[in-house]
Structures are given as C-alpha cells and as structure tokens.
Amino acid sequence: MLPLALPARDVLRRAPPQLDFEAGQLYHPRAMRGRLSWIGAVPHVVITALMVVVIVDMLVGVFLRYVMTWISATFDLPTVRFFWVEEVGEWSLAWLTFIGAALGIRRGTHFAVNLVIDRFPATLRKTVLVGQCLLIVAFGALVAVFGWQVAELNSQSFSPALDLNLRWLYLSSVAGGVLMVVYGLIALADVFGGRGPWGQPSGDSG
C-alpha cells in the first residue's frame, strides 16, 4: 500500500499499467502521453527544418547570383544556372507559412485584442471563446478542402526549374488547414475543460 503522505507525482509514477483490450497489450499512461507529445512535436521539427532550408537557400542564391556570375564573366567560364533557387524558396515558404500559421493558433501567437472580452461575464466570455474556436475549425476545414481541389487541378503541372509536380506545392494548404482544424478542436476542448484556448483561464478572474 502507498503511504498517505506520498506526493501526487509519486502516485502517478507508481500507477499500474492499463490493459488495451483491443490490442491485447499493456500500456502505461505516461508512455501514451510521451507518444502523443512526440507526434505533436513533428510540426515544430518540420517548420524548423524548413527555416534552415530557406536560410541556406537564400545564402546559396546570393552566392550564385553575385559571386559565381562575376567569376564566370571574369574568367569566361560556363554560366551557373541558379533558377532552381527561387523555386526552393517558394516551395519552402509556402509550407512554412501554412504550418506556421497553424502552430500560431496552437501557441496563441496570432494578434488578438481581448480588451472587450475580458470585461464580459464568465459565461459570455466562454461562449465567445467557443465561437472563436469553431470559426478557426471552420476556416481550417475550408482551407483544407479548397486547397485539395487546387492541388488536384494542378496535379498535371510541373515546375519549370525543378520539374516537380505542383500538387505538392498546393498540398501545403491542405496540411495547414488540417492542422488548424486539429488545433482548433484542442482549443475548444480546453475551453470546455475550464481553460482558455491558449492556456488562459476562461473563468471569471475577478
């Protein structure tokens, strides 16, 4: 038996694993939370990698455009093609924009004015937050649906420099829209759980 004065974190640490009847395997709540946190970290890893690609692409573009062009002209060498640099930047920025916008919803970094909402009673404030989350979910769904349609319309087109299917360019809006829906639903669950959509208390602070 556990002692009565045992801290709560020790109780959770010693909690027995639970049985997954569908899979027929044991799993531990902490392990499940670890897997979910790993999945949630994927967009952050992707956006970090895209930022590195954009920075390197810009540096390479400047070097090829100004340094290699001067070297080729001075020493009468073959011209180095660097038109692919623009496409790499465009594609990376497209994915970076949509995934970053979705992460901004999750982290609450988008611009917001709460001067009026903060003066509302707790019930009305919660209603406004619920409506706000539903609008985010609806907007994300629209972006994903229309982004998929545009991607299908351009599925037979290819980029001139990299010769890549343009479907992958427009699928960035689908990925961003789906993430907006997911993060909007998470924010909605936070509101109903007594927390604001971005870690702010939804109850009356007065």
Side-chain angles (χ1 to χ4, degrees), residues 13-184:
R13 187 180 297 113
R14 300 187 184 185
Q18 303 176 11
L19 181 62
D20 186 353
F21 292 99
E22 295 182 359
Q25 299 176 352
L26 292 176
Y27 72 93
H28 198 280
R30 289 172 61 103
M32 292 300 296
R33 287 195 297 270
R35 295 190 187 99
L36 292 177
S37 62
W38 181 85
I39 295 174
V42 171
H44 296 81
V45 174
V46 172
I47 202 171
T48 302
L50 288 173
M51 291 179 65
V52 173
V53 170
V54 169
I55 294 173
V56 174
D57 180 73
M58 292 177 60
L59 294 176
V60 171
V62 172
F63 178 79
L64 293 179
R65 182 182 297 272
Y66 295 102
V67 178
M68 291 304 300
T69 301
W70 178 82
I71 293 176
S72 300
T74 302
F75 298 98
D76 195 20
L77 298 175
T79 304
V80 178
R81 293 175 54 89
F82 53 86
F83 298 104
W84 56 269
V85 175
E86 296 182 2
E87 286 192 8
V88 171
E90 292 174 357
W91 287 55
S92 300
L93 285 175
W95 282 87
L96 185 66
T97 299
F98 282 102
I99 297 179
L103 289 177
I105 292 174
R106 178 54 181 157
R107 304 184 66 174
T109 56
H110 289 294
F111 180 77
V113 179
N114 298 322
L115 182 63
V116 178
I117 298 178
D118 290 341
R119 298 178 181 273
F120 289 168
T123 303
L124 181 57
R125 189 186 312 157
K126 184 175 182 179
T127 303
V128 172
L129 290 176
V130 169
Q132 181 178 352
C133 295
L134 292 177
L135 285 176
I136 292 174
V137 172
F139 176 76
L142 288 176
V143 171
V145 170
F146 285 104
W148 178 264
Q149 294 178 0
V150 174
E152 289 299 310
L153 288 175
N154 292 273
S155 60
Q156 303 300 322
S157 302
F158 295 85
S159 61
L162 298 176
D163 196 27
L164 295 177
N165 195 318
L166 290 181
R167 171 189 291 177
W168 294 103
L169 174 62
Y170 295 104
L171 283 179
S172 59
S173 60
V174 179
V178 171
L179 286 175
M180 290 178 190
V181 172
V182 173
Y183 292 145

Side-chain angles (χ1 to χ4, degrees), residues 126 129 186-203:
K126 184 175 182 179
L129 290 176
I186 293 176
L188 186 63
D190 290 340
V191 173
F192 283 111
R195 293 174 56 83
W198 298 284
Q200 301 172 355
S202 61

